[in-house]
Amino acid sequence: MLLETIERQTGDNPQWSVIWLHGLGADGNDFVPIVPELVRRHWPAMRFVFPHAPVRAVTINGGARMRAWYDIVGMDLASRADTAGVAESIAQVDALIQREVQRGIAPARILLAGFSQGGAITLSYGLQATTPLAGLVAMSTYLPDPASAASRLVAGATAQPVFFAHGSADPVVPLALGELSMQTLRGLGFTVQGHRYPMAHQVCGEEIKDLADWIEQRLQLPA
């Protein structure tokens, strides 16, 4: 079954779709307010899709049940994300992408974005995207198990450009994890536009502006 979602359209007959994955313990409502701050008037109509992650027990939080894209089983990067949970979420995201395709939006006009845990799924999906998307947006996040990333990479996936943003004072996902992830992606052949902001585990106005600039490049608007 498809995940429950919240949708916002910036106009009739959207030509582009953005699927946005929230962080641990949040839900799809978390990034809905960003739409009017991000979207520019001259952009084509877009559909924003904000799915709710399933509710599951999270080991690192004492087994408490909350919305999560996967269980966090340890603090070190290699074991932080449970493999089965990541695979399940990748499949659920792919189902949402296929729904957009059925609605008439080609993969080349679909952006996949994620914050924190949602960003980890975004990057994991990106490695395995057999049909490249228009781009990947990774905010305050990391690439799970970077040591095995090369073995998970499929042909053509590196055609997807990556916007990667991180806070220099992030106490949840340390900046070093984000920088290692960016280095790993670049080493695999991805084009990564990296940004560092003087903030904690959050989103800031400058980041939204930079992301809008990056999206505008993807839209290939006429001069």
Side-chain angles (χ1 to χ4, degrees):
M1 294 179 62
L2 283 173
L3 295 173
E4 293 184 12
T5 62
I6 298 169
E7 294 189 2
R8 295 289 184 270
Q9 289 188 188
T10 63
D12 296 331
N13 302 315
Q15 302 173 41
W16 289 76
S17 293
V18 181
I19 299 173
W20 205 304
L21 311 182
H22 62 76
L24 175 67
D27 63 19
N29 291 286
D30 207 29
F31 280 92
V32 172
I34 206 172
V35 174
E37 298 181 41
L38 177 69
V39 173
R40 295 174 176 170
R41 291 184 179 181
H42 59 281
W43 287 3
M46 307 177 79
R47 179 188 295 117
F48 285 80
V49 180
F50 302 95
H52 303 303
V55 175
R56 70 181 80 220
V58 177
T59 301
I60 205 169
N61 287 347
R65 295 183 62 80
M66 61 190 67
R67 291 197 180 278
W69 296 106
Y70 51 85
D71 185 19
I72 300 178
V73 296
M75 287 303 296
D76 67 284
L77 193 59
S79 65
R80 190 180 181 98
D82 82 282
T83 304
V86 170
E88 178 186 356
S89 288
I90 288 174
Q92 290 170 325
V93 169
D94 187 63
L96 292 175
I97 290 171
Q98 296 311 313
R99 182 176 68 173
E100 293 308 297
V101 173
Q102 292 168 5
R103 287 167 153 179
I105 310 295
R109 289 177 176 264
I110 299 174
L111 294 165
L112 180 60
F115 175 81
S116 193
Q117 207 189 47
I121 295 300
T122 293
L123 295 176
S124 297
Y125 180 92
L127 290 178
Q128 302 175 44
T130 53
T131 302
L133 303 179
L136 309 171
V137 178
M139 308 170 77
S140 302
T141 190
Y142 66 100
L143 175 65
D145 193 10
S148 71
S151 65
R152 290 178 280 147
L153 183 67
V154 301
T158 59
Q160 302 167 112
V162 181
F163 177 92
F164 205 118
H166 215 104
S168 57
D170 191 331
V172 178
V173 181
L175 177 62
L177 296 187
E179 292 185 333
L180 174 61
S181 299
M182 282 190 278
Q183 292 170 6
T184 300
L185 291 168
R186 286 174 177 140
L188 293 172
F190 285 89
T191 300
V192 181
Q193 185 180 115
H195 297 267
R196 182 190 303 182
Y197 304 96
M199 64 180 186
H201 196 62
Q202 61 193 99
V203 177
C204 67
E206 183 183 358
E207 179 180 6
I208 294 173
K209 178 187 178 300
D210 290 339
L211 176 56
D213 289 342
W214 182 85
I215 290 176
E216 187 152 326
Q217 294 172 2
R218 311 280 81 74
L219 297 179
Q220 299 178 348
L221 301 175

